[in-house]
Amino acid sequence: MKSIIRKLSVVCAAATMSLGTMMIGAADAQTVVRFGHVDGEGDLLANPYWAYTEVFSSIVKSHTGGRYEIQVFPNGQLGDLESLLEQNARGSLQIVGGLNAGHVAAYAPAAQVLEMPYTFSTTEVAREVLEGPFGKKLSDTVAEQSGVRILNYLPSAFRNFSNSVRPIRTPEDMVGLKIRTQQVPIHIKMVEALGASPTPIAWAELYSALQTGVVDGQENAPYTMLLANLQEVQKYYTLDHHLINMPLITINEEFYQGLSDEDRAAFDYAGRQATFAMLGIIAAKESQDLKVIEKAGVEIYQPTAEEFQAFVEKTQQPIAEILTEQVGAELISELQQAIADAQD
């Protein structure tokens, strides 16, 4: 795994260093493109978004001859995710990283189809589905409904439940727990279906809320837990894989369509390469992340096949009914067929 991480780090570093050689003598950038996200920077392994923005920025600049320069605003400098999405839709912020489908659904209901719990069996299947015709069609639909296009899907890892009260082995163990969720209706309904009490809390306030007992638990992927040091304030972590952690990179549609064909191709290529760098780092270090969480004193539990199915049965039907009303049975069927094709 260390060799994989070293190779991915070299890719990221090389992409950044290439600016020094490829841009010698190039004209000054004519257009500054603002890119906002809420995560940190400074360490490719600890902050995977930095890997994305470093690779994306350097490739865009080099492949457009310096006509475009990406100005990155990390750590929520421009606001929380909801605010970043609003700015993205207005066009005052060209690119945003880290939104999920539930956020985007506030502007484009079709995006909610990605929030069906226990849908994707692996991150590899999710990547194939979303890099294929289904993902392209959904991006077009979201752009039409919201003015924001999904430039890249980042199915990075699975989200799991953690808490500080008791081990969660079956849905019955969820009953009565106060679980932090994002302000996403489908996430809230999913937690309710499992018998727990969903409590929307902002990301920046989550550590304190867990530490003081405002909520008992939360749900996130291993690398996300470590980004916020949540292993310090949780005792149990159940690998139930209820949702795939799929942050999105979104771009203002008017800005995107205003690019020349050549420059649009450069942005698309930069996004693909940056996605490879970020997802590669997360995948390579996931087993190590789990060891770090366990070493911190967190008890990690892997449900049996029967226990996993109990979670599926509690959540999929009620969520499917809601999604059918909001996005239509046809879109759900198209996603299910794309998944079946990818699994085959």
Side-chain angles (χ1 to χ4, degrees):
M1 185 191 75
K2 290 182 179 178
S3 63
I4 295 175
I5 292 176
R6 281 197 298 269
K7 290 178 182 178
L8 288 165
S9 298
V10 168
V11 169
C12 298
T16 303
M17 291 171 62
S18 68
L19 279 176
T21 56
M22 298 182 73
M23 292 308 301
I24 292 175
D28 290 339
Q30 296 176 355
T31 302
V32 172
V33 179
R34 288 154 49 90
F35 187 139
H37 65 88
V38 299
D39 290 290
E41 290 190 338
D43 186 331
L44 293 175
L45 301 184
N47 297 288
Y49 275 99
W50 197 54
Y52 184 98
T53 57
E54 285 290 285
V55 173
F56 184 82
S57 300
S58 65
I59 291 178
V60 165
K61 190 168 185 178
S62 64
H63 280 62
T64 62
R67 293 190 306 279
Y68 291 90
E69 182 171 354
I70 308 299
Q71 184 177 12
V72 181
F73 297 88
N75 293 310
Q77 292 178 24
L78 301 181
D80 59 18
L81 288 172
E82 289 78 7
S83 175
L84 293 180
L85 175 57
E86 182 180 352
Q87 295 172 62
N88 199 202
R90 290 202 314 261
S92 58
L93 183 59
Q94 287 75 41
I95 305 176
V96 169
L99 298 168
N100 64 37
H103 292 124
V104 176
Y107 291 75
Q112 291 181 98
V113 73
L114 299 178
E115 299 287 0
M116 173 77 78
Y118 304 103
T119 294
F120 293 103
S121 57
T122 67
T123 54
E124 290 78 14
V125 166
R127 292 173 196 177
E128 184 166 343
V129 168
L130 297 169
E131 289 171 3
F134 179 85
K136 175 63 167 62
K137 178 179 178 180
L138 182 61
S139 180
D140 289 341
T141 301
V142 167
E144 182 179 346
Q145 292 180 347
S146 67
V148 167
R149 172 172 294 276
I150 299 172
L151 183 65
N152 296 118
Y153 301 89
L154 301 171
S156 55
F158 283 101
R159 302 174 75 95
N160 307 293
F161 288 110
S162 72
N163 82 102
S164 58
V165 177
R166 56 178 172 266
I168 296 173
R169 297 185 173 90
T170 69
E172 286 69 31
D173 295 323
M174 297 278 293
V175 175
L177 294 179
K178 295 175 291 183
I179 301 294
R180 178 265 179 180
T181 68
Q182 298 179 76
Q183 188 66 52
V184 176
I186 294 298
H187 293 193
I188 292 171
K189 292 291 184 183
M190 176 189 66
V191 171
E192 287 178 346
L194 290 169
S197 176
T199 308
I201 292 175
W203 171 249
E205 301 169 8
L206 178 54
Y207 185 99
S208 175
L210 292 168
Q211 186 178 43
T212 58
V214 173
V215 288
D216 302 311
Q218 57 90 49
E219 48 88 38
N220 266 301
Y223 79 94
T224 314
M225 280 190 69
L226 293 180
L227 282 175
N229 292 314
L230 302 184
Q231 75 279 5
E232 298 175 353
V233 288
Q234 294 285 264
K235 296 180 180 179
Y236 308 100
Y237 192 41
T238 298
L239 306 182
D240 71 297
H241 291 187
H242 54 269
L243 285 171
I244 201 160
N245 200 54
M246 196 186 310
L248 308 172
I249 305 296
T250 59
I251 187 167
N252 177 268
E253 175 70 353
E254 184 176 355
F255 169 78
Y256 182 76
Q257 295 302 336
L259 296 169
S260 67
D261 291 345
E262 180 182 4
D263 289 341
R264 194 179 309 120
F267 274 72
D268 290 342
Y269 176 72
R272 290 194 299 272
Q273 295 303 305
T275 295
F276 169 79
M278 177 176 171
L279 296 186
I281 288 173
I282 292 170
K285 65 190 287 289
E286 182 167 60
S287 62
Q288 185 63 36
D289 287 343
L290 288 170
K291 289 178 182 178
V292 172
I293 291 170
E294 191 170 35
K295 189 175 180 180
V298 178
E299 180 183 311
I300 298 177
Y301 182 72
Q302 176 70 64
T304 66
E306 292 77 12
E307 289 168 344
F308 176 81
Q309 190 58 35
F311 282 95
V312 174
E313 291 173 358
K314 280 281 188 179
T315 58
Q316 275 205 335
Q317 184 170 348
I319 299 301
E321 292 174 356
I322 295 171
L323 285 177
T324 299
E325 294 177 0
Q326 296 181 353
V327 308
E330 183 178 353
L331 187 59
I332 296 173
S333 178
E334 288 178 7
L335 173 58
Q336 292 171 336
Q337 184 59 56
I339 292 172
D341 292 343
Q343 289 172 333
D344 289 341

